[in-house]
Amino acid sequence: MSRLAAYCCLAWLLLLRPGNVSGAITPGAVWLDNRGQQIQAHGGGILKVGDTFFWFGEDRTQGLDPNKRYVSCYASKDLEHWTFRDQVLKLSDPENFGPGWLIERPKVFYNAATKKYVLYAHVDDGTYKLARVGIAISDTVDGNYRYLKSFRPLGLESRDIGQFIDDDGTAYLIFESRPTKGFVIARLSPDYLNVEKQMSLVPAPLEGGAVVHYKGLYYVIGSHLTGWSPNPNVYATATSLEGPWTEFKNIAPPALKTYNSQSSTLLRIIGTKTTSVIFMADQWKPKELWDSRYLWMPLQIDGGQLLLPEPRPWTIDINTGEAKY
Ligand code: DGJ
């Protein structure tokens, strides 16, 4: 092969390597923020304020103070380009949880009555035995958040948490509660500083719980309990948050283990032409959690059926709501 042909081959191979496609969201690729740093918002959630999306998640950057735990916040108007706002929570062990204590899956709600941003997260000791939610509050969306307390919602064990805000603005916490062999969807108190009413005990031992309300149906998604390892995530539907829920079905071909990802949030984008529902998931790398990737994909969803399509680069028009592969 001539030297020129060899260079052409190399250039072609470089073009084909998995990486971020400019102008698109690329599942599994390294996703950089405005500083050129890898986005650290694992197990995350989104809060929209005005026309800006705020993405909160676990910051697992290498070299951070090993005694502290961090939640980061990024802002975007198009879901593709993210500006780092701050490490909005930088916390030393607040209640003597002990070595290896953790903060996972942070989610932020805005309470219009108290004008406070309320951050919920799973807080625990290093062996996941405490099973509590922790709460921190802030006057502004991008912090700083002040840690308030931890508790077991409704007195139940709570590990992975998710967030759901219904069309009428009511805020719900989703939490995995192992002894009940299911996960709970529960309404927050008026000030959002407590969990006050169980709506449903979804009858399946699942974590990574997320809910979306789409065309009159509630869809719930969750993953099986396999630690950091991926598994076939499943969904069920109901016409009311109180159930009854249908049988669970796989969201993708089960052998593919949700394309090596685990559910975190279902994000609904209501546009002028259509509504898209985006599956936000983590591709965990347990030995290098800082390099865990994100799998975000628009779902095929309608009439009680839901499918996670094969991941590929995609774009969304935030105004019209149209997502394209
Ligand atoms: C699965 C959970 O979904 C993650 O958030 C994390 O807690 C891992 N388990 C730890 O094994």
Side-chain angles (χ1 to χ4, degrees):
M1 194 189 302
S2 74
R3 186 168 287 205
L4 179 64
Y7 280 138
C8 288
C9 275
L10 183 63
W12 182 240
L13 284 173
L14 284 173
L15 278 175
L16 285 181
R17 82 193 196 284
N20 218 345
V21 173
S22 171
I25 293 170
T26 307
V30 170
W31 202 344
L32 302 178
D33 67 12
N34 60 312
R35 305 166 302 172
Q37 295 182 21
Q38 207 161 325
I39 293 176
Q40 292 289 331
H42 311 286
I46 301 267
L47 180 71
K48 193 171 182 212
V49 181
D51 62 354
T52 305
F53 298 93
F54 290 89
W55 179 6
F56 298 87
E58 301 157 22
D59 185 336
R60 295 184 179 270
T61 304
Q62 286 178 295
L64 293 176
D65 180 343
N67 298 313
K68 291 192 175 153
R69 303 293 176 265
Y70 300 82
V71 173
S72 275
C73 169
Y74 299 81
S76 173
K77 289 193 195 295
D78 64 6
L79 293 182
E80 187 203 338
H81 302 93
W82 291 93
T83 301
F84 174 73
R85 295 298 276 256
D86 209 354
Q87 286 174 322
V88 293
L89 190 67
K90 295 176 208 138
L91 202 60
S92 300
D93 186 354
E95 297 183 56
N96 287 323
F97 294 133
W101 74 284
L102 54 89
I103 291 187
E104 291 184 349
R105 296 182 176 265
K107 308 282 180 288
V108 172
F109 299 86
Y110 176 63
N111 188 300
T114 63
K115 298 192 168 43
K116 299 279 185 208
Y117 293 88
V118 184
L119 185 154
Y120 273 73
H122 170 203
V123 293
D124 222 319
D125 66 333
T127 60
Y128 291 89
K129 291 275 185 330
L130 294 176
R132 298 168 80 80
V133 288
I135 294 187
I137 60 168
S138 172
D139 293 329
T140 51
V141 62
D142 49 4
N144 287 326
Y145 284 78
R146 183 168 54 88
Y147 185 81
L148 277 190
K149 62 176 178 179
S150 75
F151 59 95
R152 281 189 165 178
L154 306 170
L156 296 168
E157 289 186 14
S158 168
R159 292 185 178 81
D160 280 8
I161 62 154
Q163 113 187 93
F164 173 60
I165 299 165
D166 209 344
D167 298 339
D168 63 1
T170 310
Y172 299 91
L173 185 75
I174 304 156
F175 60 96
E176 183 259 318
S177 190
R178 216 150 287 185
T180 60
K181 300 219 175 341
F183 65 96
V184 176
I185 302 172
R187 196 176 68 208
L188 301 188
S189 61
D191 61 6
Y192 291 5
L193 302 184
N194 255 306
V195 175
E196 69 172 17
K197 184 176 188 289
Q198 178 172 313
M199 308 303 294
S200 244
L201 172 63
V202 183
L206 297 171
E207 58 187 8
V211 174
V212 71
H213 194 186
Y214 182 77
K215 289 193 187 169
L217 271 184
Y218 294 92
Y219 293 75
V220 67
I221 278 190
S223 91
H224 301 286
L225 279 64
T226 55
W228 299 112
S229 306
N231 58 60
N233 292 190
V234 290
Y235 78 97
T237 64
T239 51
S240 155
L241 270 189
E242 289 163 289
W245 295 90
T246 61
E247 291 295 306
F248 278 89
K249 292 187 203 159
N250 293 308
I251 69 168
L256 301 176
K257 298 188 176 172
T258 323
Y259 303 101
N260 183 32
S261 75
Q262 185 190 20
S263 51
S264 178
T265 291
L266 291 170
L267 178 64
R268 192 179 62 166
I269 305 293
I270 302 174
T272 51
K273 289 200 181 149
T274 191
T275 297
S276 290
V277 178
I278 297 161
F279 177 68
M280 288 173 52
D282 296 282
Q283 293 187 318
W284 298 112
K285 292 192 183 180
K287 294 199 177 121
E288 299 156 318
L289 279 171
W290 59 272
D291 191 32
S292 301
R293 306 290 171 81
Y294 310 101
L295 185 155
W296 289 16
M297 275 301 286
L299 291 169
Q300 289 169 16
I301 179 170
D302 210 4
Q305 303 297 316
L306 180 156
L307 177 76
L308 171 64
E310 188 174 350
R312 70 201 91 148
W314 57 281
T315 57
I316 186 157
D317 180 328
I318 294 298
N319 295 318
T320 65
E322 292 167 305
K324 288 193 188 118
Y325 308 126

